[in-house]
Amino acid sequence: MEAATAATFLAAGGASLFMAWAIGAGSSGSTPFAPAVGANAISVMRAGFFVGILGLLGATLQGANVTEAVGRDLVVGTTLSPVAAIVALSIAAGLVAFGVFTGYPIATAFTVTGAVVGAGLAMGGGPAWAKYYEIVAVWTMTPFVGGGIAYGTAKLLRRESVPDGVATPALAALVGAILANVEFVLLGPPGVAQSLAGTVSAGTPGRIAVTVAVATAVAGAMGLDMRNDTSAGQRHFLLALGGLVAFSAGGSQVGLALGPLLPLFDTAGIAIPLIALLFGGGLGLLAGSWTAAPRMIKAIALDYSSLGPRRSIAALIPSFAIAQTAILLGVPISFNEIIVSAVIGAGAAAGTGGVSGRKMGYTVLAWVASLLGAGVLSFGLYTGVTALL
């Protein structure tokens, strides 16, 4: 490999690792366990430790779809050059890191998408309108769907006519049904992800039977746990949900750091197994989660809403479902947006969520500004750098 090519890959890899660290410190590291921390089910430092491990596993086993989408589907008619990839990753990572250190959750997916699109358009590429429509639809629906489901679930759990010993196992059954249909790369043939239900049976009736069996088993285990100690059972369910969301965060967010690298390997003709690349990105997430996530965990858990176990469960269930839907579709999505909207919906169910309107106003403004700002900065920086070169 020539020295110039090696230097280019070193710079791009460094920018990608910094982006992975920033994501691990921010969206994927801070948001999954934030409701559990807010409900005093786990400490901030333990949450940071476990979210790092689970994020690494999720990145390795579920990160392929979003990585491919970010790397190859956001701009048509051109492929990101090494300079464009470095510019996009540097701009996005800088903005996300700014959010980490200031305490405001910058929407990572907004930032990376804007940066990649800005650099691609500066190269002369065209907008990928079909993909944009899909992305915008998911982004727009997330606050309403996530917040609405969280609100309804919290209301259900607060009803005195529905005992906790019935409501919580029923919700656990729903989570088990989703989990049975989540796709993992280890369950499918080489290069193909497949769900547990799909692995056991190729036909629809068989998949339904497997889904029902898993849901029933999860509900039964949850019911048994609740009979022994209702409070402990709810806490265990909450922690399990936090783990599932952390795993999903790794699968969704790692593509934001690795996607821009794919065109570089294509251009150079270097073949690296995608799963190895995903594992490397997952290590970057792990480092961010262990070194800087606790600050943001505290900000999300305490600044937006004071949640108990029921409302925390209500917030994490739609978060898990939305995250897995985005992974399946290959849509980059912000976990800050998912969790914050779900937390607000769950808090509103009690009428005493303690949500700071000023804080939320700044957060929404940061989301919009991160998308537009990253695109403009990336476009301008790439144009300036290529003019100098």
Side-chain angles (χ1 to χ4, degrees):
M1 182 182 292
E2 297 181 357
T5 303
T8 298
F9 271 89
L10 183 62
S16 178
L17 284 176
F18 178 54
M19 185 68 205
W21 175 88
I23 292 172
S27 58
S28 76
S30 64
T31 52
F33 274 104
V37 172
N40 296 318
I42 188 172
S43 69
V44 171
M45 296 307 296
R46 284 188 178 183
F49 174 79
F50 285 114
V51 80
I53 298 293
L54 293 166
L56 170 62
L57 292 174
T60 306
L61 299 177
Q62 284 198 306
N65 282 358
V66 176
T67 299
E68 293 279 355
V70 172
R72 299 191 173 103
D73 296 344
L74 294 181
V75 180
V76 298
T78 190
T79 299
L80 288 185
S81 67
V83 173
I86 294 172
V87 165
L89 285 168
S90 300
I91 291 293
L95 291 174
V96 172
F98 172 80
V100 171
F101 292 116
T102 57
Y104 286 96
I106 299 295
T108 311
F110 286 48
T111 304
V112 174
T113 300
V116 171
V117 171
L121 295 180
M123 288 184 61
W129 292 115
K131 192 65 177 179
Y132 298 164
Y133 294 148
E134 184 180 43
I135 291 173
V136 170
V138 173
W139 287 356
T140 303
M141 292 175 62
T142 291
F144 300 101
V145 174
I149 294 175
Y151 179 86
T153 303
K155 280 290 189 183
L156 173 66
L157 290 173
R158 287 173 57 84
R159 289 178 65 91
E160 295 182 0
S161 60
V162 182
D164 289 334
V166 174
T168 304
L171 293 173
L174 175 61
V175 173
I178 297 173
L179 189 59
N181 290 278
V182 167
E183 294 185 346
F184 301 96
V185 68
L186 293 181
L187 295 180
V192 178
Q194 196 163 272
S195 67
L196 175 63
T199 301
V200 174
S201 177
T204 300
R207 292 187 179 186
I208 293 175
V210 172
T211 300
V212 171
V214 172
T216 302
V218 172
M222 189 73 258
L224 182 61
D225 196 14
M226 294 285 290
R227 283 193 206 97
N228 295 330
D229 188 329
T230 300
S231 297
Q234 287 184 332
R235 186 169 63 253
H236 296 158
F237 186 36
L238 176 58
L239 292 175
L241 284 171
L244 290 174
V245 174
F247 181 88
S248 303
S252 171
Q253 302 295 281
V254 72
L256 302 176
L258 297 180
L261 292 182
L262 296 186
L264 302 188
F265 293 107
D266 294 340
T267 302
I270 299 175
I272 294 181
L274 183 56
I275 194 169
L277 193 63
L278 293 172
F279 181 78
L283 290 177
L285 299 182
L286 174 70
S289 296
W290 282 4
T291 58
R295 173 186 174 88
M296 287 295 289
I297 292 175
K298 180 178 181 296
I300 296 289
L302 302 181
D303 289 351
Y304 285 94
S305 188
S306 300
L307 301 179
R310 292 182 179 88
R311 282 179 284 162
S312 296
I313 289 171
L316 288 177
I317 288 176
S319 299
F320 172 55
I322 291 172
Q324 287 297 329
T325 300
I327 291 172
L328 181 64
L329 296 175
V331 171
I333 192 167
S334 169
F335 263 75
N336 287 328
E337 182 188 15
I338 294 174
I339 294 289
V340 168
S341 59
V343 164
I344 292 173
T352 56
V355 179
S356 167
R358 185 173 179 219
K359 179 78 171 182
M360 282 310 306
Y362 279 126
T363 299
V364 173
L365 179 62
W367 289 345
V368 176
S370 63
L371 174 64
L372 300 179
V376 171
L377 288 173
S378 187
F379 187 98
L381 183 58
Y382 177 81
T383 302
V385 169
T386 52
L388 291 175
L389 295 177

